[in-house]
Amino acid sequence: MKLGLLGGSFNPIHVAHVRMAEAAREALGLDRVLFIPARLPPHKLTTDLAPEADRLAMSRLAVQDVPGFEVSDVEMRRSGASYTIDTIEALRREFGPDAEFFFLIGSDTLAELPTWREIGRLSMLCRFVPMIRPGAPQPDAAKLAKGVGEAEACAIFGRMAPMPPLDISSSDIRRRLAE
């Protein structure tokens, strides 16, 4: 089984998240896509997160009518920061050794990837798939290679997939609501 994994704070989830997952499903031939709201994102330690239950409920509402899309509460069930390595290990126990995991990330996140907890082991347990956001600068391949190794950086760059052009972000939605 080929599983796409889309994690994030989903504060709030929006149509671009869903469209990104649809594009990845088509490009990679994924059987299912799991949306995984982070309980406490370690790279976004912030106090302006909506309550966990609300972000989980919003995520479920956003994908309820999309076949093959579902929401996992795997990170909400754990205490502390939501590290991807812990999530992948939990999903491996849930789906078994034959499941293939494709972790969908925005191409702008590639710069942070070398700082992720146990990135070497993590890149052996899942395949990172950068989704190229329209208008985003090309990620720095050399910087990624320093963090994950040249072979893994080449593999990650080889899996880049285009994202549908939608000019929307969670931070923009929050800003508009505040205004």
Side-chain angles (χ1 to χ4, degrees), residues 3-85:
L3 288 169
L5 309 174
L6 181 56
S9 58
F10 300 132
N11 189 43
I13 192 167
H14 51 74
V15 69
H17 292 120
V18 177
R19 292 293 309 277
M20 180 172 94
E22 287 173 334
R25 179 175 58 189
E26 290 173 20
L28 301 167
L30 301 173
D31 298 303
R32 289 166 54 192
V33 177
L34 298 179
F35 287 72
I36 308 168
R39 182 180 170 281
L40 183 60
H43 287 88
K44 290 185 184 177
L45 295 178
T46 179
T47 58
D48 68 345
L49 284 176
E52 297 165 23
D54 292 347
R55 292 184 293 113
L56 189 61
M58 286 187 287
S59 298
R60 288 185 172 134
L61 286 170
V63 303
Q64 70 184 0
D65 295 326
V66 184
F69 283 15
E70 51 191 90
V71 175
S72 170
D73 65 352
V74 64
E75 292 191 358
M76 297 292 187
R77 293 188 310 246
R78 286 196 314 266
S79 61
S82 300
Y83 292 107
T84 303
I85 187 68

Side-chain angles (χ1 to χ4, degrees), residues 39-149:
R39 182 180 170 281
L40 183 60
H43 287 88
K44 290 185 184 177
L45 295 178
T46 179
T47 58
D48 68 345
L49 284 176
E52 297 165 23
D54 292 347
R55 292 184 293 113
L56 189 61
M58 286 187 287
S59 298
R60 288 185 172 134
L61 286 170
V63 303
Q64 70 184 0
D65 295 326
V66 184
F69 283 15
E70 51 191 90
V71 175
S72 170
D73 65 352
V74 64
E75 292 191 358
M76 297 292 187
R77 293 188 310 246
R78 286 196 314 266
S79 61
S82 300
Y83 292 107
T84 303
I85 187 68
D86 299 330
T87 301
I88 297 297
E89 288 174 341
L91 293 173
R92 176 66 58 210
R93 288 188 296 275
E94 183 177 340
F95 290 99
D98 295 331
E100 294 179 77
F101 296 138
F102 295 84
F103 201 93
L104 312 176
I105 58 174
S107 59
D108 56 328
T109 305
L110 284 179
E112 294 175 5
L113 204 56
T115 68
W116 287 20
R117 180 175 281 197
E118 297 186 53
I119 188 60
R121 197 161 119 246
L122 183 56
S123 62
M124 289 188 280
L125 297 174
C126 67
R127 295 182 184 124
F128 287 99
V129 179
M131 302 299 291
I132 304 167
R133 296 176 191 220
Q138 186 69 15
D140 185 345
K143 188 174 183 178
L144 182 63
K146 284 182 183 177
V148 299

Side-chain angles (χ1 to χ4, degrees), residues 149-168:
E150 192 152 333
E152 181 60 19
C154 286
I156 290 171
F157 270 82
R159 287 189 291 269
M160 282 186 139
M163 191 172 139
L166 290 170
D167 189 21
I168 189 168

